[in-house]
Amino acid sequence: MDISRLPTEARQRRRAEIRAFLRSRRARVTPAEVGMPAGGGRRTSGLRREEVAVLAGVGVSWYTWLEQGREINVSGEVLDAIARVLRLDPSERAHLYLLAGLNPPPVDAGADAGPAVVPDALRRVVDGWLPRPAYLIDRHWNFVAVNDAARAVFGYGVGDHNCLVSFFTSAATRSSLCHWQDAARAIVGQFRADAARYPDDPWFGRLAADMCAASPAFADLWAEHQVGSAAQGLKALRHEAVGELVFEYTTLPLPDLPGHRLMLYTPAPGGDTGARLARLLETGGAVGAEAGARS
């Protein structure tokens, strides 16, 4: 990625993002954790810039320029050294690469592609996942296809167009989803990682600003600068019609549709989610979808 070719607004966003990200990450690492004495006169508990530079084996001025978002030459080896000092996890390391203008493997191709045409066969996969929930979102987190089980379980209705917006603005989602705060932190981390993957796409910045204004919860989590990616996990919710539902979910990237993700849900083993889901679809699925449209 040639940062110098980015529009001025995109370069400004990148500078602000890398500055806030690196500051937040060195602030959470204490000198004791990297074998350095705390010393006197320290205003914060985290590492200083010069300490990060020394531990990573780079010049203090160079690291300062990196943290300021200046357009300097960087290499994967140096970024890896900084990532080790700051104890970045794989998602955070990939985020640093992207902010610094390097693409960590695997590369998510097609960042500059326009709206993709979704094959009818893929839409049939979403519908064919019934009686289990499934939906497809594009790189902007807009719903592309949603099956009837997802509408019934998650309350998605005609007014739901974007996964992130629905998550933070639906009162029904917040009241029904177990461990909402953990799920919210994870979804914001994924959104921030996606925003860094497409630094020349102003849509992400606009939506983030809109969400900060619309949702104090989103604004608080956005300020944490967490990044992450969860390809699979558990989601539990309390459905007003059938009680607790626990699903295993899998996120599948689609190589032919860069940025699109297929979300597939399966009843977790060892419980009665499958039976409750069947009962919901037989007797209350349409009611759940209508409730989601009104939330």
Side-chain angles (χ1 to χ4, degrees), residues 153-234:
V153 169
F154 304 121
Y156 296 142
V158 295
D160 292 283
H161 304 291
N162 183 276
C163 182
L164 185 74
V165 174
S166 292
F167 185 93
F168 280 96
T169 61
S170 170
T173 296
R174 182 152 192 165
S175 63
S176 66
L177 188 62
C178 302
H179 312 296
W180 186 91
Q181 188 69 23
D182 291 339
R185 179 168 282 106
I187 198 172
V188 171
Q190 176 68 68
F191 183 75
R192 185 177 287 280
D194 284 358
R197 187 170 290 111
Y198 305 113
D200 56 343
D201 187 340
W203 183 92
F204 289 94
R206 289 197 297 266
L207 182 60
D210 290 344
M211 290 302 301
C212 284
S215 170
F218 178 91
D220 290 343
L221 292 171
W222 187 250
E224 292 181 4
H225 291 273
Q226 296 287 343
V227 292
S229 177
Q232 56 191 12
L234 285 176

Side-chain angles (χ1 to χ4, degrees), residues 139-162:
R139 93 180 197 190
H140 289 154
W141 294 51
N142 295 315
F143 288 115
V144 177
V146 182
N147 72 8
D148 289 340
R151 293 188 183 95
V153 169
F154 304 121
Y156 296 142
V158 295
D160 292 283
H161 304 291
N162 183 276

Side-chain angles (χ1 to χ4, degrees), residues 6-294:
L6 294 176
T8 300
E9 184 180 352
R11 292 201 303 272
Q12 292 173 343
R13 288 198 306 272
R14 171 193 162 273
R15 283 196 294 269
E17 179 72 12
I18 195 170
R19 180 168 57 249
F21 179 71
L22 286 174
R23 283 179 177 176
S24 69
R25 290 311 176 264
R26 65 180 170 86
R28 73 180 183 182
V29 180
T30 65
E33 289 177 310
V34 293
M36 299 184 70
R42 182 179 294 272
R43 291 179 295 177
T44 63
S45 59
L47 295 178
R48 300 187 179 104
R49 285 177 176 172
E50 57 267 31
E51 291 169 338
V52 175
V54 169
L55 292 169
V58 300
V60 175
S61 295
W62 185 93
Y63 177 79
T64 300
W65 294 337
L66 175 68
E67 191 167 291
Q68 291 173 345
R70 296 193 189 185
E71 296 174 11
I72 57 177
N73 292 326
V74 297
S75 68
E77 291 79 7
V78 172
L79 293 181
D80 283 344
I82 293 171
R84 285 193 294 271
V85 172
L86 298 180
R87 301 193 168 190
L88 304 185
D89 64 28
S91 295
E92 291 171 330
R93 172 180 171 271
H95 188 61
L96 176 61
Y97 264 71
L98 291 165
L99 291 176
L102 298 182
N103 288 325
V107 176
D108 190 348
D112 297 322
V117 176
V118 178
D120 290 339
L122 184 55
R123 296 180 185 275
R124 287 192 288 271
V125 169
V126 174
D127 288 334
W129 195 248
L130 285 170
R132 296 156 296 180
Y135 56 87
L136 173 67
I137 59 174
D138 65 16
R139 93 180 197 190
H140 289 154
W141 294 51
N142 295 315
F143 288 115
V144 177
V146 182
N147 72 8
D148 289 340
R151 293 188 183 95
V153 169
F154 304 121
Y156 296 142
V158 295
D160 292 283
H161 304 291
N162 183 276
C163 182
L164 185 74
V165 174
S166 292
F167 185 93
F168 280 96
T169 61
S170 170
T173 296
R174 182 152 192 165
S175 63
S176 66
L177 188 62
C178 302
H179 312 296
W180 186 91
Q181 188 69 23
D182 291 339
R185 179 168 282 106
I187 198 172
V188 171
Q190 176 68 68
F191 183 75
R192 185 177 287 280
D194 284 358
R197 187 170 290 111
Y198 305 113
D200 56 343
D201 187 340
W203 183 92
F204 289 94
R206 289 197 297 266
L207 182 60
D210 290 344
M211 290 302 301
C212 284
S215 170
F218 178 91
D220 290 343
L221 292 171
W222 187 250
E224 292 181 4
H225 291 273
Q226 296 287 343
V227 292
S229 177
Q232 56 191 12
L234 285 176
K235 178 177 287 189
L237 65 150
R238 296 174 296 273
H239 196 282
E240 61 179 0
V242 294
E244 186 177 65
L245 300 170
V246 183
F247 294 96
E248 294 178 334
Y249 67 83
T250 301
T251 304
L252 299 178
L254 303 173
D256 293 337
L257 294 172
H260 285 61
R261 289 192 288 272
L262 179 61
M263 302 293 299
L264 302 176
Y265 292 82
T266 304
D272 57 357
T273 294
R276 295 187 182 201
L277 178 61
R279 188 163 71 252
L280 174 65
L281 294 180
E282 290 171 359
T283 64
V287 173
E290 291 172 4
R294 293 193 299 269

